[in-house]
Amino acid sequence: GRGGVQGGVHFGMAAHGNTVYVPINDMAYPEDLTRYQYTTEARPGLYALDARDGTLLWSSPAPHTCADKPDCDPGISHAITSIPGAVIAGYLDGFLRVHSSEDGRVLWQMDTVREFESVSGATAKGGSFSGGGVLVAHGMVYANSGYGIYNHMPGNALIALAPAD
């Protein structure tokens, strides 16, 4: 990552064996443009490195899905989670994506920028992912969607996902 207030790695990497998975944000935060003289293009996305020598094993650049969504950015500010065969990453564009740990391709994704009916019957809204990563436990994936500071999309959804039958 190129660094800055909203650049680089934010809340955490993951590892499995000799592979380190690195989420990069690289959002162009307005104040950064006056503080830093960027010499490289933003490269948000997910990267895999060999932990022994730092060799890049694969990269999965973040797709640009924001179009005209306010406070949307393609980067990964969220801590990522590694499970056997996959890396789970929440993106600032509101997508939760599961990547192959072998080559980085997206195996599954969900756009969470929408309303959800909660178990109490109240309406929750998804938004950007940032902060702590997803929890994987007892065959379920739990993710908080919505991060309304630093020009990100607010929300208040706790999403619980189970495997399809």
Side-chain angles (χ1 to χ4, degrees), residues 18-145:
N18 290 321
T19 304
V20 176
Y21 303 101
V22 183
I24 299 295
N25 188 17
D26 272 357
M27 177 183 175
Y29 196 65
E31 294 173 20
D32 287 349
L33 301 177
T34 58
R35 291 185 195 170
Y36 305 101
Q37 301 300 315
Y38 291 126
T39 58
T40 60
E41 293 294 317
R43 291 180 291 224
L46 185 61
Y47 298 83
L49 305 173
D50 186 314
R52 296 168 291 196
D53 62 12
T55 301
L56 178 66
L57 301 174
W58 53 257
S59 64
S60 182
H64 292 277
T65 62
C66 290
D68 58 354
K69 290 183 194 173
D71 294 327
C72 183
D73 189 79
I76 306 172
S77 180
H78 202 227
I80 58 173
T81 302
S82 173
I83 60 174
V87 181
I88 305 169
Y91 286 68
L92 286 173
D93 65 2
F95 275 82
L96 183 63
R97 294 185 176 96
V98 178
H99 294 263
S100 164
S101 58
E102 185 175 314
D103 59 14
R105 75 185 183 283
V106 176
L107 301 172
W108 180 87
Q109 65 182 353
M110 175 186 194
D111 185 354
T112 68
V113 182
R114 61 185 179 91
E115 291 184 346
F116 295 88
E117 183 179 339
S118 71
V119 294
S120 70
T123 300
K125 185 176 186 301
S128 295
F129 285 92
S130 194
V134 302
L135 170 67
V136 178
H138 307 290
M140 299 281 292
V141 174
Y142 301 92
N144 291 315
S145 179

